[in-house]
């Protein structure tokens, strides 16, 4: 339980576990696994590589998916935001036509190419769970 002191709130030791339980995971917490990223690479090559380049560096007007500008664009947003952006805008003129799992696997691959570590479990499929994961550059 918190105790208000002026404009600050001091948390008692008994409230610490509740606060920790509310903490959000980040892209540094291994939120996808290696198998998912490998699947994502093959799917990326098939559905995304032509426009975003096979090395994710972008082509002409199409943005890169692995540089500082890309990371800054999503920094502090949720992985759910990244997922939804991919889902509702890509592939160009075929938006939201891929299976949900395909988009998840591609997001895992993009996270891996941005240097975020793999973990033991795959990205969750539920948007609410994806929204609990923060993209931290």
């Amino acid at each position: 339980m918190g105790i208000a002191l002026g404009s600050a709130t001091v948390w008692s030791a008994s409230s610490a576990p509740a606060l920790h339980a509310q903490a959000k995971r980040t892209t540094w917490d291994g939120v996808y696994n290696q198998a998912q990223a490998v699947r994502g690479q093959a799917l990326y090559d098939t559905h995304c590589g032509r426009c975003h380049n096979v090395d994710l560096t972008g082509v002409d007007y199409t943005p890169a998916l692995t540089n500082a500008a890309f990371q800054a664009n999503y920094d502090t947003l949720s992985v759910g935001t990244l997922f939804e952006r991919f889902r509702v805008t890509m592939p160009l003129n075929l938006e939201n036509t891929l299976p949900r799992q395909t988009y998840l696997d591609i997001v895992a691959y993009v996270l891996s190419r941005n240097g975020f570590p793999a973990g033991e479990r795959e990205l969750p499929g539920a948007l609410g769970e994806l929204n609990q994961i923060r993209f931290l550059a």
Side-chain angles (χ1 to χ4, degrees), residues 116-128:
F116 298 112
E120 294 183 19
R121 297 188 313 168
E122 293 191 358
L123 280 171
L127 185 58

Side-chain angles (χ1 to χ4, degrees), residues 67-102:
N67 61 13
F70 171 79
Q71 289 188 11
N73 192 40
Y74 290 96
D75 192 27
T76 73
L77 298 177
S78 73
V79 171
T81 299
L82 177 64
F83 170 82
E84 283 295 291
R85 177 113 7 117
F86 283 12
R87 187 182 66 77
V88 301
T89 65
M90 296 182 232
L92 185 62
N93 298 320
L94 295 170
E95 298 85 355
N96 196 25
T97 58
L98 303 175
R100 187 174 190 82
Q101 188 63 51
T102 297

